[in-house]
Amino acid sequence: QVQLVESGGGLVQPGGSLRISCAASKGTLETHAIGWFRDAPGQEREGISCISSRDGSTYYADSVKGRFTISRDIAKNTVYLQMDSLKPEDTAVYFCAASNGCGSKAYLYDDWGQGTQVTVSS
């Protein structure tokens, strides 16, 4: 089991960048696959990225590929999501979650953070 805390959300203009973080307050992220999901108003929860525990392989949804980058700092027990070229449709609450392996479906993940709001607006 791992306890996760997201941070770094906020308001950013279209075309801007933001980096959000997922830190483990309990447990070790290195032994878990960590996924990022987002909840946008009126939409289903979307899995957007994941980093594997085994070799650090990364995965992205088509909606963010080429704009978002997932990474991890094992020493800091933290996973990051660098978001560039942000669009208004990226506005959502962003969650990180832990699993035994990467996948795009929320039911695969056991432990979730509380979420951080990202708003892209001029």
Side-chain angles (χ1 to χ4, degrees):
Q1 186 178 7
V2 60
Q3 292 184 355
L4 304 173
V5 180
E6 301 95 336
S7 62
L11 174 64
V12 62
Q13 293 186 343
S17 298
L18 198 64
R19 189 179 77 164
I20 56 178
S21 302
C22 173
S25 61
K26 175 182 176 182
T28 304
L29 292 184
E30 185 180 6
T31 58
H32 295 79
I34 301 298
W36 282 101
F37 290 78
R38 65 186 181 185
D39 285 354
Q43 298 184 25
E44 293 185 357
R45 180 164 293 185
E46 180 187 14
I48 57 172
S49 186
C50 185
I51 186 164
S52 169
S53 61
R54 294 178 182 177
D55 57 5
S57 296
T58 58
Y59 304 90
Y60 300 94
D62 288 343
S63 58
V64 305
K65 195 174 295 181
R67 301 188 297 121
F68 290 11
T69 304
I70 191 171
S71 63
R72 64 181 180 181
D73 187 327
I74 294 173
K76 293 184 178 180
N77 213 14
T78 300
V79 169
Y80 303 98
L81 188 68
Q82 175 68 40
M83 304 183 291
D84 299 319
S85 302
L86 282 161
K87 306 174 182 179
E89 51 263 43
D90 294 318
T91 296
V93 179
Y94 285 71
F95 298 88
C96 62
S99 175
N100 291 328
C102 280
S104 63
K105 301 300 184 183
Y107 70 82
L108 297 172
Y109 294 77
D110 300 313
D111 301 301
W112 292 79
Q114 82 290 349
T116 186
Q117 176 71 46
V118 172
T119 302
V120 184
S121 175
S122 55

